[in-house]
């Protein structure tokens, strides 16, 4: 198995006025291709800081990070941006869609600087929307879509470059239970059906239950690393479905 993510002794410190906040304190994690990993832990435990480093949106102060075998620390900002564009899709709690722009244009965005033709960009964006069941929403603006639809557009955008790795920071945090389950079912299918590697942050046990493996963060450290069997996963997800109807 090849590790898609390999971090060693990652450190991250933020300086806020007089204070220093140690957000990550020696995080060493290895995640293989095809894994579905949930990261849990209290607010402020360093989950988003870790995800932002994995997503090449931020850099650590110490330690190392290898993405798909490549040492990220040695790269320039431009090279990191390129690597991010090629290998990573990122989904956020607040969807982060561009307002007053159609779903299709939102999904096309990551392709703008790619070398494929304009026609191919549109074709791929439409295909990505189709995959997420949004064919008839392509021309809608985010404000005309439900929360679940907006997050599906965000997932379509994250996948349009066919990344190896999908990072999702509390993707169901702004959604009701039923819609959260729909989104998780989509992620589960992307992982099981297409072998997409997924790392997802959540503080809900029911959401973490979809993953193969759960990493627990506390005070910037990994204090738990548990593998969940598929039987355990199913058992944990089952009671949820009973309580989702209105
Ligand atoms: N940009 C920043 N500037 C200063 N402190 C930050 C910044 N980002 C995060 N922190 C601090 O780092 C710690 C970890 O934050 P974060 O990674 O966002 O935690 P989580 O996602 O688990 O809630 C917290 O104490 C937080 O206040
Ligand atoms: Mg966070």
């Amino acid at each position: 198995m090849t590790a898609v993510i390999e971090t060693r002794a990652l450190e991250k410190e933020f300086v806020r006025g007089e204070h220093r906040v140690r957000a990550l304190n020696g995080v060493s994690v290895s995640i293989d291709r095809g894994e579905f990993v949930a990261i849990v832990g209290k607010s402020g435990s360093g989950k988003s800081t870790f995800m932002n480093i994995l997503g090449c949106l931020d850099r650590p102060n110490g330690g190392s990070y290898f993405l798909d075998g490549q040492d990220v620390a040695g790269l320039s900002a431009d090279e990191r941006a390129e690597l991010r564009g090629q290998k990573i899709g990122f989904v956020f709690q607040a969807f982060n869609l561009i307002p007053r722009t159609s779903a299709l244009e939102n999904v096309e965005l990551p392709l703008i600087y790619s070398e494929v033709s304009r026609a191919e960009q549109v074709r791929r964006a439409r295909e990505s929307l189709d995959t997420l069941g949004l064919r008839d929403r392509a021309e809608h603006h985010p404000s005309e879509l439900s929360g679940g639809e907006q997050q599906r557009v965000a997932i379509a955008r994250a996948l349009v470059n066919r990344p190896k790795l999908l990072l999702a920071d509390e993707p169901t945090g702004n959604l009701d239970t039923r819609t959260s389950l729909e989104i998780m079912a989509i992620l589960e299918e992307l992982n099981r059906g297409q072998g997409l590697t997924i790392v997802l942050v959540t503080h809900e046990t029911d959401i973490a239950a979809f993953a193969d493996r759960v990493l627990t963060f506390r005070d910037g450290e990994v204090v738990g690393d548990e593998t969940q069997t598929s039987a355990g996963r199913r058992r944990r997800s089952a009671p949820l479905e009973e309580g989702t109807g209105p």
Side-chain angles (χ1 to χ4, degrees), residues 224-236:
D225 184 350
E226 282 180 53
T227 301
Q228 313 195 102
T229 63
S230 58
R233 233 175 20 233
R234 195 143 306 167
R235 222 177 318 110
R236 274 178 242 208

Side-chain angles (χ1 to χ4, degrees), residues 90-107 128-129 132-134 136-138 140-159 170-176 179-180 182-183 186-187:
F90 213 129
V91 178
F92 304 90
Q93 176 171 358
F95 319 136
N96 295 14
L97 299 175
I98 315 271
R100 291 180 291 282
T101 300
S102 72
L104 183 65
E105 288 166 313
N106 267 280
V107 176
S128 197
L129 281 171
L132 275 294
L134 292 165
D136 59 349
R137 293 288 185 274
H140 288 58
H141 288 191
S143 63
E144 300 164 331
L145 299 171
S146 70
E149 287 171 334
Q150 289 182 63
Q151 193 59 299
R152 275 150 60 202
V153 173
I155 294 171
R157 180 179 60 184
L159 297 177
E170 310 218 24
T172 63
N174 284 6
L175 303 174
D176 61 43
T179 311
S180 296
E182 284 169 14
I183 294 294
I186 289 167
L187 297 183

Side-chain angles (χ1 to χ4, degrees), residues 28-40:
S28 302
V29 167
S30 178
I31 296 174
D32 283 333
R33 186 163 318 233
E35 278 197 277
F36 188 168
V37 178
I39 296 180
V40 302

Side-chain angles (χ1 to χ4, degrees), residues 56-71:
C56 301
L57 299 171
D58 200 358
R59 309 180 75 172
N61 302 116
S64 59
Y65 171 31
F66 288 80
L67 170 62
D68 206 25
Q70 194 162 7
D71 186 356

Side-chain angles (χ1 to χ4, degrees), residues 7-28:
T7 75
R8 286 184 215 138
L10 277 189
E11 303 277 338
K12 181 69 184 183
E13 197 171 68
F14 292 107
V15 179
R16 229 182 332 201
E18 305 271 286
H19 300 277
R20 285 169 190 281
V21 179
R22 180 155 285 242
L24 294 181
N25 189 15
V27 174
S28 302

Side-chain angles (χ1 to χ4, degrees), residues 14-16 21 23 41-50 169-170:
F14 292 107
V15 179
R16 229 182 332 201
V21 179
K42 286 189 186 147
S43 178
S45 57
K47 305 183 298 295
S48 292
T49 302
F50 183 61
D169 194 347
E170 310 218 24

